[in-house]
Amino acid sequence: SYADEIELWIDLGEPDDKRLRKACGRADQVWLWCYGGRASEIWWQGMQGKASRFTNLTVVSIPPDTLQQLTTLTERSMQLQATFQDGALTLGNASDSVHIDPLRWK
């Protein structure tokens, strides 16, 4: 924001609790997007208790089959358009688009 406040912090992967604590302490809202399939599920089982204290944290997982579809968008010099609506994300380029309906874990 103009007052140097972080309104939305978006992180990818499987961060440790220290990074999540930092993000949740600095930002109004934190979104964590996990994409590791079974490895992410195992990570979340261990992190779920620690993350329960963060009220401004949202954790979602991208299913492995959706990740496979996202590979169709990769190009040498990518320009993607993103639309986020009703909890779902659509990424697209000039010729293709992929609808991402994440699994909400928190």
Side-chain angles (χ1 to χ4, degrees):
S1 71
Y2 291 116
D4 286 338
E5 298 169 342
I6 301 172
E7 295 176 5
L8 177 62
W9 182 306
I10 299 172
D11 214 335
L12 303 173
E14 301 159 0
D16 59 11
D17 61 327
K18 182 179 177 182
R19 182 164 174 86
L20 282 180
R21 189 174 356 142
K22 176 182 176 181
C24 292
R26 291 187 180 176
D28 294 337
Q29 205 176 19
V30 178
W31 278 74
L32 174 61
W33 291 79
C34 301
Y35 54 87
R38 181 70 180 135
S40 288
E41 291 173 10
I42 293 169
W43 169 84
W44 179 241
Q45 289 172 359
M47 186 63 73
Q48 195 170 6
K50 297 174 186 175
S52 65
R53 67 177 182 243
F54 304 126
T55 59
N56 59 338
L57 174 65
T58 301
V59 180
V60 293
S61 175
I62 302 172
D65 59 324
T66 303
L67 290 174
Q68 194 74 11
Q69 293 173 11
L70 285 171
T71 61
T72 64
L73 301 178
T74 56
E75 298 174 348
R76 184 169 180 89
S77 59
M78 294 189 304
Q79 290 188 346
L80 299 176
Q81 295 79 37
T83 304
F84 192 73
Q85 184 175 7
D86 297 329
L89 175 67
T90 302
L91 288 176
N93 59 18
S95 60
D96 294 316
S97 67
V98 175
H99 181 76
I100 302 167
D101 197 12
L103 305 170
R104 190 168 183 148
W105 288 346
K106 180 183 179 328

